[in-house]
Amino acid sequence: MWFVKRYLDVDSGFVLLRLSLVMKLKRILMVLLIVYVSIPCIIKLCPSIQAKLVFLNFVRMPYFIDLQKPADQGLNHTHNFYLQPETGLSIGVWHTVPARMWKEAQGKAGDWYESTFGSAHPVILYLHGNAGTRGGDHRVQLYKSGCVIVCLCVGWGDSDGSPSEGAMTSDALFVYDWLKRRLNEELPLYIWGHSLGTGVATNLVRRLSDRGSPPDALILESPFTNIREEARSHPFSMVYRYLPGFDWFFLDAITANNIRFASDENVNHISCPVLILHAEDDGVVPFHLGKKLYNLASRSKSLSGHKVQFVPFPSALAYKHKFIYRSPELPNILSDFLGTAHPISP
C-alpha cells in the first residue's frame, strides 16, 4: 500500500505540474494576443507613433556614440559642425576628406576643411538612412574607404525635433546650396542616398531638377519605390502582413503623416545620371524594389539621354542592407559610371 500511495502522490504531482504549466502558457499566449491586437489599434489611433517608427530618430546605435566626435569612430579626417537654416534649427554635418589627406587633416579646424572644397576632388552630399545607419558601421566604414570628400546631414527633423519628410528634404536642400556656394563651378557635386536617405535624395534631386540645377549624378544605395511598398515588405511587418485590414491599420497611418518618399514618382522629374546599387540578399529593403525603381527610371522621359545604371550584388557576397561598401569593385563602379576626370577611388 505504501508503494501505491507514493505512486499516486508522484502521479498527482506530475498532473498538478502539467496543469500549472498549461495555465502559465495560456496566460503568456493571452498576453501576446492582447499585445498583437493592441499594436495596430494604438498605431491607428495615434498615427504619430507610425512616423517615429519610420524615422526611428529616437534610436541611436551604437547607444553611446557621440556624433560630435567622429574621431571616436576612427574618423580622424572628419570635422563635425552645424548649419542653421533658421532660428532654433541646427543641422548636424560631418565633412570628411579622402584618406590620402588623412595626415594633413590631423588637428585642423573648420577653416582648413572648408578650404578643401577648392581642391580637385569631387564632392558627395551623402544622405543617411534611419536609426543605426546614421552613425553606425555602414557610414563609418564608407568614410574610411576614403573615396571622396563627403559632406552629409546627420540629423533630421523640424525645429521641435519631430521627424518630417518635408523637413528632411528642406535640410538636404539647404546643405546642397551651402555646398554649391563654396565649390568651384567645374567641380562635380554628387548626391548619394542610402536606405531611407534614397527617398530624401530623390525628393531633393526632383526639386533641383525642377529649378534647372540638378546635381552631376544621383547614387541610390538600397533604394525602395515608395514608403508604402517598403513598409509592406519590411521584416517588421511580417507578423501583420496577412492581417485583414493591414493597409488600413498601418499603411494608411503612414499616409496620414504625409510620409510618401515616392521615388517611383520622382524619377519622372529627375534630369541627371542615376546609379542604383542593391544587394540581392537585402533583408530590409527587398532587392525587387530596387530593381523595380530601376525599371521605372529607365523608362522615364525626364531621364532620357541620361545614363541610368543598375548594379546588383549577388547574395553570395553577403552584403545585405548596409555592407556594399565592402565591395572591392565599388570605386571602379563609381568611376566608370561617373566617367569624369576625377576618379572616385581610394
Side-chain angles (χ1 to χ4, degrees):
M1 292 292 293
W2 179 78
F3 289 105
V4 173
K5 184 177 184 303
R6 184 174 180 181
Y7 174 79
L8 291 174
D9 289 343
V10 172
D11 189 53
S12 298
F14 277 122
V15 171
L16 291 173
L17 179 61
R18 288 182 62 186
L19 287 174
S20 176
L21 291 174
V22 169
M23 293 301 294
K24 287 181 179 179
L25 182 60
K26 285 184 176 180
R27 285 197 292 270
I28 291 172
L29 291 175
M30 183 59 68
V31 170
L32 291 175
L33 180 61
I34 292 172
V35 172
Y36 180 81
V37 174
S38 298
I39 288 176
C41 294
I42 292 172
I43 288 176
K44 188 63 181 179
L45 292 172
C46 305
S48 60
I49 294 176
Q50 183 72 308
K52 293 184 180 298
L53 292 175
V54 170
F55 297 108
L56 292 178
N57 64 321
F58 58 92
V59 176
R60 177 171 292 184
M61 296 175 63
Y63 182 75
F64 295 106
I65 187 174
D66 186 349
L67 296 176
Q68 297 183 45
K69 299 178 180 179
D72 290 351
Q73 307 303 311
L75 297 174
N76 296 321
H77 56 333
T78 300
H79 172 58
N80 173 80
F81 64 101
Y82 293 89
L83 297 175
Q84 289 190 311
E86 60 184 73
T87 303
L89 176 62
S90 294
I91 304 173
V93 178
W94 277 4
H95 177 188
T96 185
V97 296
R100 64 173 68 91
M101 300 174 68
W102 192 303
K103 290 183 179 180
E104 189 181 355
Q106 303 306 299
K108 295 297 195 302
D111 290 343
W112 180 87
Y113 277 89
E114 189 163 327
S115 71
T116 63
F117 290 133
S119 69
H121 301 289
V123 178
I124 286 181
L125 172 59
Y126 178 88
L127 305 171
H128 60 70
N130 62 8
T133 58
R134 293 189 311 223
D137 181 67
H138 169 270
R139 195 175 80 184
V140 169
Q141 297 303 325
L142 181 65
Y143 301 167
K144 284 182 178 179
S145 69
C147 290
V148 290
I149 295 176
V150 181
C151 186
L152 64 148
C153 303
V154 298
W156 305 119
D158 292 315
S159 55
D160 62 354
S162 59
S164 159
E165 179 178 354
M168 294 169 77
T169 305
S170 296
D171 288 353
L173 180 60
F174 181 85
V175 176
Y176 180 89
D177 287 339
W178 181 88
L179 279 171
K180 286 293 286 186
R181 290 193 298 270
R182 284 157 177 78
L183 294 180
N184 185 303
E185 290 185 1
E186 289 76 31
L187 193 66
L189 175 55
Y190 309 121
I191 294 176
W192 184 324
H194 172 243
S195 193
L196 189 67
T198 64
V200 183
T202 62
N203 281 347
L204 171 60
V205 177
R206 176 175 178 170
R207 283 198 192 184
L208 295 172
S209 298
D210 286 345
R211 76 181 192 185
S213 57
D216 293 276
L218 170 63
I219 303 165
L220 302 174
E221 179 187 1
S222 308
F224 50 87
T225 48
N226 60 70
I227 198 64
R228 286 180 71 98
E229 290 194 353
E230 160 56 12
R232 185 180 289 110
S233 303
H234 197 281
F236 287 162
S237 70
M238 188 177 300
V239 293
Y240 289 105
R241 197 171 300 157
Y242 304 105
L243 178 73
F246 172 80
D247 285 17
W248 186 77
F249 277 112
F250 293 96
L251 303 187
D252 289 353
I254 296 177
T255 304
N257 283 284
N258 198 29
I259 302 172
R260 300 180 68 241
F261 291 113
S263 293
D264 51 352
E265 294 180 14
N266 290 339
V267 293
N268 292 314
H269 302 269
I270 288 174
S271 53
C272 71
V274 177
L275 172 64
I276 297 177
L277 311 169
H278 216 131
E280 292 180 350
D281 58 340
D282 191 330
V284 177
V285 179
F287 178 79
H288 71 86
L289 291 184
K291 185 69 173 180
K292 181 177 180 180
L293 182 62
Y294 164 72
N295 291 333
L296 292 169
S298 64
R299 297 194 298 267
S300 167
K301 291 183 179 180
S302 66
L303 285 170
S304 177
H306 294 286
K307 188 174 185 179
V308 179
Q309 183 178 351
F310 182 80
V311 179
F313 295 87
S315 298
L317 297 173
Y319 290 159
K320 300 186 183 296
H321 183 59
K322 56 182 182 179
F323 299 117
I324 288 177
Y325 71 84
R326 293 177 177 173
S327 171
E329 298 300 320
L330 185 57
N332 290 333
I333 291 170
L334 295 173
S335 296
D336 291 345
F337 172 76
L338 298 172
T340 69
H342 309 278
I344 298 187
S345 58

